[in-house]
Amino acid sequence: MATAPLHIVILAAGEGKRMKSGRAKVLMPLAGRPMLAHVLDTARALQPARIHMVYGHLGAQVQKAATDLGDITWTLQAEQRGTGHAVQLALEQIPDEARVLVLYGDVPLVQAQTLRRLLDKEEPLAAIVAHLDSPYGYGRVVRDGIGRIRAIVEEKDTSVDQRAITCINSGILVADARRLRTWIANLRANNSQGELYLTDVFAQADEEGTPASAEVCANPQEVFGANDPWQLAGLERMHQRSRATQLAAAGVRFADPMRFDLRGDVRVGRDVEIDIDVILEGLVEIGDDVHIGPYCRIRNSTLAAGTVVHSHCNLDGVVTHGACSIGPFARLRSGTAIAEGAHIGNFVETKQTRIGARSKIGHLSYLGDTHVGEDVNVGAGTITCNYDGVRKHVTQIDDGAFIGSNASLVAPVRIGKQATVGAGSVITREAPDGELSLARAKQTLVDGWKRPEKGD
Ligand code: UD1
Ligand code: CA
């Protein structure tokens, strides 16, 4: 038995009517990734011989989304005739000697550890069940005196007495392929939904004198399913809470762990502080003593020790190389690299831009394709004109340069070492080292001009 190859069947063909969406239910995002991707990760962690995906409703969407997710055997369920029918089709490609683990694409929070406990069961049929205070909507598990499963009754088919049962079916089961094939062949759609219910195999096994064993899930939240947007939002909150709990255990101090979202992965150092409503996406690395202010979104970025991100910043593809300060209200885009001691202030946008040590870009600037040296001061309103409509061009600002406010730097162009650019200049040629460059209309006096007065 221990050597039986493990085949995992993931059910992802259902219509998901209750979502009222044009997108397949199993592709609804949880923590920024499709629910199905979470289920696949968990399936992979068990190192099965094979993963089978049953797809059907909006199947092209599901296949497209899952193609990057690795090696999967696809089973088309053209007509959704129920979960039993879905597994029956997958079984056509599964050998008799296999053990079959069935996962549901809309039950994404289950942990590999919990599934391993189910796989440790020796009976030919076993399921994960849980006790819920509000069991509404789930199949109810009818058990015998010693906790074995005698039947599972769907909500819509329950009697009044059965509705009071608080032990629910997670949908996740493990069975010997040969037996499962026989039980499924005997399924009948004589129920309120006219479907072949996978859950009816439990009553059949019981009739045969093979009651199934139940693995009671210690944390019922793991087996919650998402049938509608409200349940999906509930799963998202549970998932986020558990990520925040892990990070707090690693030393992160949250102003409010309930107002933090992680849509990807994060690595954290010591003494990291995160204010309210911060969203981290993709892969984010946060060094020691980093403070992130409220209302920030940080994606695929690395923040070196001591970096301070003030409120309302949007960072995507940013690397800081030392303690520096960003924001409030900065938008730093891909290819932005910031050195120690630099300061990026409010309403500054950067893209493909390196900023040297101690340089300051305090207010209202756009720097694209720019190399800023050390100890540079970029005045308020400075804009690099880096795009000619076809190509991008580089602006180079050397160490110690001082750019006056409201300058336009028309790339390609170089601002020399210790060069000064007068406020309001439109710079189209090199500004030489150490010199003052001015490129603006001269101020004139208009002779005899009078300000109009009211009544004129
Ligand atoms: C199902 C279980 C119920 C359990 C609950 C747990 C059955 C009959 N009922 O109910 O006991 O408490 O899950 O969340 O199994 N699917 C297909 N093909 C189909 C029908 C469904 O692939 O023909 C897929 C769906 O995409 C979904 C999964 O199977 O991923 C479950 O289907 P769903 O309709 O959501 O079942 P529930 O009513 O939630
Ligand atoms: Ca469901």
Side-chain angles (χ1 to χ4, degrees):
M1 175 56 67
T3 56
L6 175 64
H7 284 242
I8 299 183
V9 178
I10 300 176
L11 301 190
E15 193 175 339
K17 269 193 214 101
R18 292 163 278 183
M19 279 290 174
K20 300 188 167 60
S21 167
R23 199 191 307 184
K25 172 167 72 169
V26 294
L27 299 183
M28 294 286 164
L30 178 83
R33 298 169 71 217
M35 287 200 277
L36 194 56
H38 294 266
V39 177
L40 269 166
D41 283 354
T42 313
R44 290 240 163 73
L46 300 173
Q47 299 179 307
R50 197 90 227 140
I51 294 177
H52 304 257
M53 182 81 71
V54 184
Y55 71 113
H57 184 73
L58 298 174
Q61 265 183 28
V62 175
Q63 269 195 313
K64 189 159 173 271
T67 34
D68 294 345
L69 301 173
D71 197 17
I72 294 166
T73 301
W74 292 91
T75 299
L76 176 65
Q77 186 192 23
E79 205 188 325
Q80 285 75 59
R81 294 173 52 208
T83 48
H85 177 239
V87 174
Q88 185 173 40
L89 295 176
L91 278 170
E92 288 172 10
Q93 302 186 67
I94 296 177
D96 263 348
E97 64 278 10
R99 276 190 102 199
V100 180
L101 172 68
V102 178
L103 303 178
Y104 286 10
D106 67 344
V107 182
L109 298 185
V110 68
Q111 299 294 302
Q113 206 45 47
T114 306
L115 297 177
R116 283 191 195 103
R117 278 196 290 275
L118 178 69
L119 293 173
D120 284 344
K121 303 270 180 204
E122 280 170 3
E123 291 80 354
L125 180 63
I128 295 179
V129 305
H131 292 285
L132 296 190
D133 292 338
S134 318
Y136 177 78
Y138 291 92
R140 304 300 204 284
V141 182
V142 180
R143 293 188 298 169
D144 66 13
I146 56 169
R148 292 175 308 183
I149 303 175
R150 304 209 57 184
I152 292 177
V153 189
E154 291 308 298
E155 171 83 34
K156 288 182 178 151
D157 302 293
T158 47
S159 64
V160 176
D161 285 353
Q162 287 167 336
R163 229 164 286 157
I165 297 173
T166 57
C167 182
I168 64 101
N169 171 32
S170 70
I172 296 165
L173 63 78
V174 64
D176 296 346
R178 189 192 316 268
R179 309 285 295 270
L180 189 60
R181 215 187 298 279
T182 317
W183 292 322
I184 287 185
N186 293 331
L187 291 181
R188 295 288 166 266
N190 53 352
N191 50 57
S192 66
Q193 301 185 76
E195 290 185 353
L196 296 176
Y197 289 163
L198 179 62
T199 43
D200 284 347
V201 299
F202 291 91
Q204 288 198 34
D206 183 57
E207 264 169 44
E208 265 182 35
T210 318
S213 77
E215 168 64 29
V216 181
C217 190
N219 173 13
Q221 295 191 340
E222 275 186 40
V223 301
F224 282 1
N227 293 319
D228 59 34
W230 187 255
Q231 288 177 335
L232 180 64
L235 293 196
E236 180 75 30
R237 284 348 308 153
M238 284 172 217
H239 176 77
Q240 293 300 346
R241 193 190 159 93
S242 79
R243 298 303 299 263
T245 307
Q246 288 159 8
L247 287 170
V252 174
R253 294 191 292 275
F254 291 104
D256 180 357
M258 304 305 281
R259 280 185 286 172
F260 166 75
D261 280 49
L262 176 57
R263 300 173 189 157
D265 279 309
V266 62
R267 290 192 207 127
V268 290
R270 291 168 72 92
D271 289 297
V272 169
E273 289 186 355
I274 299 182
D275 214 319
I276 58 166
D277 291 331
V278 168
I279 302 171
L280 304 182
E281 295 182 351
L283 180 61
V284 177
E285 295 185 46
I286 302 179
D288 296 347
D289 299 298
V290 168
H291 293 205
I292 301 175
Y295 315 111
C296 289
R297 177 251 198 182
I298 301 176
R299 184 167 184 270
N300 292 332
S301 294
T302 300
L303 305 180
T307 299
V308 176
V309 182
H310 296 282
S311 72
H312 300 276
C313 287
N314 193 323
L315 274 49
D316 187 353
V318 174
V319 177
T320 69
H321 292 289
C324 60
S325 113
I326 299 170
F329 293 99
R331 179 177 184 215
L332 309 186
R333 299 164 62 194
S334 60
T336 297
I338 305 169
E340 172 114 35
H343 168 66
I344 315 284
N346 43 259
F347 306 107
V348 172
E349 177 179 346
T350 60
K351 191 175 180 212
Q352 296 298 335
T353 288
R354 294 201 303 263
I355 295 153
R358 297 171 303 281
S359 288
K360 296 188 171 39
I361 305 153
H363 338 257
L364 302 154
S365 283
Y366 171 63
L367 299 188
D369 302 293
T370 305
H371 304 159
V372 179
E374 299 183 350
D375 300 298
V376 168
N377 195 308
V378 176
T382 297
I383 303 291
T384 55
C385 311
N386 62 323
Y387 184 50
D388 60 14
V390 180
R391 275 176 293 269
K392 301 274 183 70
H393 302 282
V394 170
T395 301
Q396 189 177 326
I397 306 176
D398 288 343
D399 295 351
F402 184 101
I403 318 282
S405 295
N406 210 34
S408 301
L409 311 178
V410 182
V413 74
R414 186 181 86 93
I415 311 299
K417 228 173 167 177
Q418 298 290 330
T420 303
V421 170
S425 292
V426 177
I427 298 294
T428 54
R429 286 180 312 195
E430 174 163 322
D433 293 356
E435 307 273 358
L436 169 64
S437 294
L438 269 183
R440 65 189 184 211
K442 278 221 167 71
Q443 187 167 340
T444 55
L445 283 181
V446 180
D447 249 1
W449 182 83
K450 274 206 174 58
R451 187 192 291 182
E453 282 176 17
K454 285 203 173 120
D456 276 1

